Amino acid sequence: MIPTAHIEATNKNEIAKTVLMPGDPLRAKFIAENFLTDVKQYNKTRNMLGFTGKYKGVEISVQGSGMGMPSIGIYSFELFNFYNVENIIRVGTAGGISPKIKLRDIVIAQGASTNSNYAVQYGLPGTFAPLASYNLLVNASKLSEEKGINYHVGNILSSDIFYNADTKAIEKWRKMGILAIEMEAAALYMNAAKLGKNALTILTISDIVGGEETTAEERERGFETMVEISLETTLKL
């Protein structure tokens, strides 16, 4: 069923087997223009920009996902299910909540706890634990170690709530060892699990919850380290 309601590519070959997925479509454009060669745009529907190019001779796509689990749920499902994408690496920002997390640190999400009901659709007789794909996780961790990057691997929170009226909620998650909070990874991991695909989330800490933060421009155009780790990880697939 292509093109889909959200992606206008008419040929599966327009999209690579591996896709980097930032939330911000302008960040997708920035990545394509600054890290890839031979770039072709395959999507502009709803201004959720998508591009395919090459990184060190390897074909890579980059696709905006929008904000929140419903949005990344749509785009990752369509890429996995209709365009034969095998690997999606979310590259995004997060708010640090663990005391060991500092501004601009890299967090590689081994697991994605959530306050979302996204898993209800599967009718499972229990609680599903959304996890990253092991090979992607190990490759990204090794690369970060080799490059001497200040990184952390562990559990994050994918939240449906950006402005949380419950001021004590973050402290409860912090006590459970959660490193950072964002809004997309759990849905991506669940889609990958359901469809037999691979997924990973690599995050840059854009702010410390209740503390310092980076600028909007830095969030759109910066964070090259996270992108480089993600691209180098794709070369090992």
Side-chain angles (χ1 to χ4, degrees):
M1 190 188 76
I2 59 173
T4 69
H6 309 93
I7 299 174
E8 62 187 301
T10 58
N11 188 321
K12 294 179 182 181
N13 294 330
E14 292 182 59
I15 302 177
K17 295 297 183 185
T18 298
V19 177
L20 266 59
M21 184 167 275
D24 185 348
L26 292 181
R27 190 179 299 142
K29 184 173 185 287
F30 180 84
I31 293 170
E33 291 177 344
N34 290 273
F35 291 89
L36 305 182
T37 61
D38 305 316
V39 174
K40 294 181 180 179
Q41 183 173 339
Y42 65 78
N43 194 58
K44 61 181 183 298
T45 299
R46 295 174 179 258
N47 286 322
M48 199 57 67
L49 306 178
F51 307 86
T52 297
K54 290 184 178 180
Y55 179 75
K56 297 184 178 180
V58 176
E59 191 173 65
I60 301 292
S61 293
V62 55
Q63 168 71 55
S65 73
M67 290 189 294
M69 281 174 270
S71 189
I72 197 172
I74 290 169
Y75 285 98
S76 62
F77 182 89
E78 290 184 2
L79 290 171
F80 282 144
N81 200 52
F82 300 121
Y83 289 94
N84 294 338
V85 169
E86 293 294 326
N87 315 289
I88 294 179
I89 300 178
R90 164 164 154 69
V91 286
T93 56
I97 62 175
S98 168
K100 63 184 177 182
I101 297 293
K102 297 179 175 59
L103 201 66
R104 299 182 183 84
D105 279 1
I106 298 296
V107 171
I108 303 172
Q110 180 179 13
S113 297
T114 187
N115 56 20
S116 169
N117 283 328
Y118 194 85
V120 168
Q121 64 182 299
Y122 307 123
L124 299 168
T127 301
F128 181 75
L131 299 176
S133 298
Y134 181 75
N135 288 341
L136 291 176
L137 180 75
V138 170
N139 288 342
S141 300
K142 286 182 177 178
L143 282 166
S144 299
E145 186 73 29
E146 291 168 3
K147 292 179 178 292
I149 293 166
N150 193 22
Y151 77 102
H152 312 265
V153 178
N155 202 356
I156 64 167
L157 171 65
S158 294
S159 178
D160 274 342
I161 306 165
F162 189 88
Y163 298 107
N164 198 331
D166 181 1
T167 57
K168 297 180 180 180
I170 293 297
E171 183 58 30
K172 293 175 182 177
W173 288 109
R174 182 183 289 118
K175 288 180 178 179
M176 294 300 293
I178 297 296
L179 299 176
I181 181 171
E182 53 86 80
M183 302 185 74
E184 288 84 24
L188 172 62
Y189 287 5
M190 287 188 229
N191 276 358
K194 177 65 175 178
L195 297 170
K197 305 288 187 169
N198 303 305
L200 179 66
T201 294
I202 301 178
L203 303 165
T204 299
I205 298 301
S206 60
D207 63 284
I208 303 300
V209 175
E212 58 184 337
E213 60 183 34
T214 57
T215 66
E217 182 179 2
E218 282 183 289
R219 297 182 198 206
E220 179 185 317
R221 302 179 63 83
F223 308 134
E224 287 87 354
T225 299
M226 167 181 64
V227 176
E228 289 171 358
I229 294 169
S230 302
L231 288 168
E232 291 292 325
T233 297
T234 68
L235 298 182
K236 297 181 177 293
L237 296 174

